[in-house]
Amino acid sequence: MPLLRRFIGGFRGLFRKTRAEQELDAELREFLDTAIEQKIRTGLSRGTAVRAARMELGNVEAVKDRVRDVGWESMLESFWRDVRYALRTLRRQPAFTLVALLILTPSIGLITTLLTLFSDTVLRPWSGVADVARVVRVYGIAPNLAERVGLSHPEYRYLAEHARAVAGLAAWRNETVRLDDDGDGATRITLMTANFFDVLTSNLERGRSFRAADDAPGAPQPVAVISADLWRRRFARDPQLSADESGSTECRSKLLVWRLERSRDRKAALRRSGFLWAP
Amino acid sequence: MRDSRIGGEDKQSGLVQGTLHMLILKTLALEPMHGYGIGVRLEQISKGVFQVNAGSLFPALRRLERDGLITGNWRFTENNRRAKYYTLTASGRAKLKRETRDWAMQTTAIARILEASLGEW
């Protein structure tokens, strides 16, 4: 409550500045008059009393400044005064202003670009996921090794059925495989539970996401999701590959394309997750 | 003691840091008073040990008023002069109670430490 009071008081002070100043003037005048009167009563001459009272009050403007400094609004006023002074100075020196603008504008632009790139590639590698702050990773603990290990499939299924603290639980395992036409090396793939994209609330650009039946034992037809980058690079944006009904003979899978809204998201996701996902 | 904002004000008054607000509240708990009267009363009660100048007193009064611990009203003095009289609010009274209790605890603890001899440890 004191914080709220200070805020309201400061706000009021901003709009009732003249009245507050007048009150302070009157109060300090009254302080001086009373001090003089009291000193005369103790037997001092008027002149001596006035001098003593003035010394007691001190520098009136300094006292006023200290009173004005109470509260947050004084900082706001001071900031506004500085801004106005800066604008006046810049207007008086147009050449300096122009040079400063020519140096500062591209510099700020360059730094902003570099920081944005750094943020997207290093600080936010989970881009493409709707709400990163709600994603947690669940590990098992090996009692003898005292270190984090992955969960077995039965453990995952038990947790997925019983865990109440999470909205959904998905599991995955990274593998490296060689696709039929892999001329230039192995392809990283991620094997995952069918609900993976639903749990991460990621949307697909084309086709459909996995269904529960897709990762059941003996699923009728294997399916996979590929990244937009792989779709463009390896399959030349073949629309047939992303159609729900058609299958790729090469992969013997239905190919669905994971939509990653911006190119930098896609790059970050690829670097972390590989570029083919299968249940 | 908890409010360190008034450190500068206390240094000028020769007060222990953070105690000026508490002393003003205590003075106003006795009766409503104007700025000059508060300064004089503090000096009288402390038998001249604390001399609170205007540069310390008025910012402190402004803070207390802003925090709703005291309220100021203009009225006439006994010498028929207009002056701003400050009165303790209910929040101010509660704050004074807390501050007094804390102060008593702290001074007792400090006294114990200063009076302790080696054998007691």
Side-chain angles (χ1 to χ4, degrees), chain A residues 64-72 74-75 81, chain B residues 63:
Chain A
K64 283 186 191 173
D65 274 345
R66 294 194 65 182
V67 174
R68 285 187 204 114
D69 284 346
V70 174
W72 60 269
S74 64
M75 281 193 290
R81 269 198 304 275
Chain B
R63 280 208 177 91

Side-chain angles (χ1 to χ4, degrees), chain A residues 50-62:
Chain A
V50 170
R51 272 198 302 281
R54 284 194 191 284
M55 280 178 66
E56 200 173 316
L57 179 61
N59 183 334
V60 178
E61 285 310 311

Side-chain angles (χ1 to χ4, degrees), chain A residues 2 5-6 8-11 13 20-24 26-28 30-39 41 56-58 63 66-73, chain B residues 3 5 8-9 12 34-37 39-40 43 52-63 65-69 74 77-79 81-84 86 91:
Chain A
R5 269 201 209 109
R6 277 175 206 166
I8 294 169
F11 209 68
E21 286 286 321
Q22 285 170 348
E23 273 202 6
L24 183 59
E27 208 175 351
L28 291 174
E30 187 272 330
F31 182 97
L32 186 66
D33 291 346
T34 312
I36 293 169
E37 200 175 281
Q38 293 294 326
K39 288 180 196 319
R41 268 191 206 167
E56 200 173 316
L57 179 61
V63 174
R66 294 194 65 182
V67 174
R68 285 187 204 114
D69 284 346
V70 174
W72 60 269
E73 76 276 13
Chain B
D3 197 344
R5 291 169 309 151
E9 291 155 17
Q12 290 190 3
H34 51 70
Y36 183 79
V40 170
E43 193 176 338
V52 185
N53 61 33
S56 304
L57 185 65
F58 284 101
L61 288 172
R62 174 64 68 89
R63 280 208 177 91
E65 194 178 17
R66 186 63 68 83
D67 291 351
L69 302 175
W74 288 90
T77 65
E78 54 195 20
N79 299 328
R81 183 177 288 129
R82 276 190 87 235
K84 191 174 181 182
Y86 292 97
S91 315

Side-chain angles (χ1 to χ4, degrees), chain A residues 100-172:
Chain A
L101 277 175
L102 285 175
I103 293 171
L104 285 177
T105 312
S107 307
I108 292 170
L110 181 69
I111 287 169
T112 309
T113 310
L114 288 175
L115 283 176
T116 308
L117 281 173
F118 179 76
S119 167
D120 285 339
T121 52
V122 178
L123 302 180
R124 289 191 299 174
W126 279 72
S127 48
V129 175
D131 191 356
V132 178
R134 293 180 60 203
V135 178
V136 293
R137 196 162 173 173
V138 181
Y139 294 94
I141 300 284
N144 297 331
L145 299 173
E147 64 181 32
R148 292 187 290 189
V149 293
L151 300 174
S152 68
H153 191 66
E155 283 173 327
Y156 159 72
R157 284 180 57 184
Y158 180 84
L159 278 177
E161 281 168 24
H162 294 87
R164 293 286 167 267
V166 289
L169 207 60
W172 77 94

